Amino acid sequence: VTFCRTATTTDTACATGTASWANWMVMTSAGTVIRRGTVPSYNNVLSVKASGLTNDQLAFSSDGLGRTGGAIIGSATLITYAVCTTNVTANNIRNVTVGVGSRISTTTASGSTC
């Protein structure tokens, strides 16, 4: 399956390039949409951005390992989803990281911009 950013709530194809995540989708390798949704911005105070992904797409194969751009996520590649609010500046960022072996970890950070 592939988890990706979409341009609209009804798209059946992943968006290209990178941008803030307003809409997302999970689809099979055959292109069947399994689930889709939106990332609520709560009046533009919450944002989600990804780094380390090729075209904002994360794919999982039958072996359970995550891939981006066809390559397995390894020690040289970390995928981070930054969930950030502008309501506060202390501990306002949650970094959700997919690392080696598709293990997920979270950390907290502070920042004045999202």
Side-chain angles (χ1 to χ4, degrees):
V1 297
T2 297
F3 173 60
C4 65
R5 180 181 60 80
T6 59
T8 69
T9 58
T10 58
D11 278 351
T12 57
C14 297
T16 57
T18 58
S20 292
W21 286 54
N23 307 292
W24 57 269
M25 167 179 70
V26 176
M27 68 178 178
T28 67
S29 59
T32 302
V33 176
I34 299 170
R35 191 172 216 61
R36 61 171 52 113
T38 60
V39 178
S41 70
Y42 299 104
N43 294 322
N44 296 321
V45 299
L46 179 72
S47 69
V48 176
K49 296 178 183 172
S51 63
L53 289 175
T54 301
N55 287 325
D56 279 350
Q57 298 179 28
L58 176 60
F60 291 92
S61 295
S62 59
D63 59 10
L65 296 176
R67 291 169 170 75
T68 186
I72 293 177
I73 297 168
S75 59
T77 307
L78 290 178
I79 308 304
T80 301
Y81 292 92
V83 182
C84 178
T85 181
T86 56
N87 276 349
V88 293
T89 55
N91 296 322
N92 62 321
I93 301 170
R94 299 297 183 269
N95 292 311
V96 180
T97 302
V98 181
V100 176
S102 299
R103 292 184 181 187
I104 297 174
S105 63
T106 59
T107 57
T108 303
S110 297
S112 58
T113 59
C114 294

